[in-house]
Amino acid sequence: MARITAGVGCSHVPAIGVAMDQGITEQPYWEPVFEGFEKSREWMKEQKADVVFLVYNDHCTVFDASCIPTFALGCGPEFAPADEGWGPRPVPVVKNHQVLASHIAQSLVLDEFDITVMNEMEVDHGLTVPMSVMFGDKTVDDEWPCLVIPLCVNVVQYPPPTGNRCYNLGKAIRRAVESFDEDLNVVIFGTGGMSHQLQYKRAGLINKEWDEQFLNRLTSDPVALSQTPHVEYLREAGSEGVEMVMWHVMRGALDDEVEEVHRHYHVPASNTAVGHIILENVKDQGMAK
């Protein structure tokens, strides 16, 4: 059967993608950001993932105020990088595992999660930046090393889903994947955040202490962490910090007991706290199942 073996939490700051595309990652400002992903890229190679299930949010490139689904699952054959105002990023087209994506869509709906099925959409920096930092520089003439199933979550228009809803969605995604007959190694990404606010009087807010507490509890106390109310994200992590509810989807899809194998945290990167964590299911527990 297919199995989710590990999870990745990762910020998706658009300027990180720009730095990679412009070849300036070794500049003093950017070098500390990218040093924290060197181990991650080696780890990713070792995983030999067949599929990445990537949870992110659209930044008004596919959805606008006329239609904003809470959860939108990509089920089309492929998804091109979006033009976010300065042309598409020069990275590969995302190719989907359509059969698994369709299976997950059916399983989630029958599990009473209302999923919007997207057969056509473009993907913005919310998806392409995490792929770039985890897999390294890729051009439009390359291919990503694995197939990618995108899940877009609304954290732009209030109200976003709660952390608890996202955590339980992760559990439902795990059930869906494990009911798929093909032998596949699936790694799930939860992206967005960490603390940042881009506008008004608190623009530039970064709360390192709160971010690090979030990372600690994501590993050791995920159920209680998933109960964090929206107002706490807004107060402590800024108006855009609510993106971190998407990390709960990743955590819910893993075993209760996980091992933290890597963590990276750096501030700032374009007025944002960059957070990153890799969690693996505890090996003997996974074998027992």
Side-chain angles (χ1 to χ4, degrees):
M1 69 177 185
R3 179 164 176 80
I4 296 174
T5 57
V8 172
C10 184
S11 299
H12 59 216
V13 183
I16 290 177
V18 174
M20 294 186 70
D21 299 342
Q22 294 183 352
I24 58 174
T25 59
E26 295 182 357
Q27 289 185 358
Y29 181 84
W30 287 110
E31 189 173 15
V33 175
F34 289 96
E35 282 179 346
F37 290 99
E38 291 177 2
K39 178 177 180 179
S40 306
R41 293 177 183 179
E42 292 303 314
W43 176 87
M44 203 75 228
K45 290 178 184 177
E46 294 169 1
Q47 294 308 297
K48 296 182 170 58
D50 299 298
V51 179
V52 163
F53 189 99
L54 200 148
V55 185
Y56 75 109
N57 67 282
D58 176 70
H59 299 79
C60 300
T61 57
V62 176
F63 306 113
D64 59 26
S66 65
C67 179
I68 306 180
T70 300
F71 300 117
L73 182 67
C75 292
E78 61 183 31
F79 309 99
D83 183 347
E84 299 182 62
W86 49 86
R89 285 195 64 214
V91 294
V93 168
V94 169
K95 296 185 179 180
N96 195 3
H97 193 305
Q98 268 192 291
V99 178
L100 177 57
S102 298
H103 171 83
I104 292 172
Q106 175 177 283
S107 180
L108 292 179
V109 171
L110 295 180
D111 213 357
E112 301 187 347
F113 278 89
D114 297 324
I115 299 297
T116 299
V117 172
M118 298 296 296
N119 292 316
E120 293 182 8
M121 68 175 182
E122 296 178 329
V123 292
D124 68 14
H125 69 268
L127 183 145
T128 64
V129 167
M131 290 293 292
S132 292
V133 296
M134 293 301 294
F135 288 104
D137 290 309
K138 301 291 180 183
T139 72
V140 291
D141 296 323
D142 296 323
E143 291 190 357
W144 295 115
C146 62
L147 302 176
V148 180
I149 300 175
L151 177 71
C152 192
V153 179
N154 168 43
V155 292
V156 175
Q157 175 71 51
Y158 191 83
T162 64
N164 180 65
R165 184 67 168 164
C166 289
Y167 185 74
N168 286 322
L169 175 60
K171 289 188 172 299
I173 291 168
R174 173 177 171 159
R175 290 192 292 269
V177 169
E178 291 182 348
S179 66
F180 191 69
D181 288 339
E182 188 176 348
D183 185 16
L184 295 173
N185 178 18
V186 180
V187 175
I188 184 166
F189 287 21
T191 75
M194 294 184 87
S195 62
H196 64 301
Q197 180 155 326
L198 304 179
Q199 69 288 310
Y200 204 52
K201 295 180 180 180
R202 296 202 307 164
L205 179 148
I206 290 176
N207 189 339
K208 181 178 180 180
E209 182 178 352
W210 195 90
D211 287 341
E212 291 183 337
Q213 181 185 61
F214 182 93
L215 291 172
N216 290 337
R217 297 178 68 198
L218 190 70
T219 301
S220 63
D221 195 15
V223 175
L225 181 64
S226 72
Q227 305 304 307
T228 304
H230 288 147
V231 68
E232 182 174 340
Y233 287 101
L234 298 173
R235 182 183 64 241
E236 301 295 337
S239 54
E240 280 72 41
V242 76
E243 290 180 350
M244 282 186 277
V245 297
M246 295 184 289
W247 294 44
H248 294 297
V249 182
M250 176 271 287
R251 185 62 181 90
L254 302 179
D255 290 351
D256 293 339
E257 188 177 357
V258 295
E259 177 186 359
E260 178 184 320
V261 297
H262 182 55
R263 183 190 296 200
H264 172 48
Y265 185 83
H266 176 78
V267 295
S270 186
N271 292 326
T272 303
V274 174
H276 173 46
I277 195 168
I278 297 175
L279 302 174
E280 292 182 1
N281 290 328
V282 174
K283 299 297 190 297
D284 55 355
Q285 182 181 11
M287 291 176 64
K289 292 185 178 182

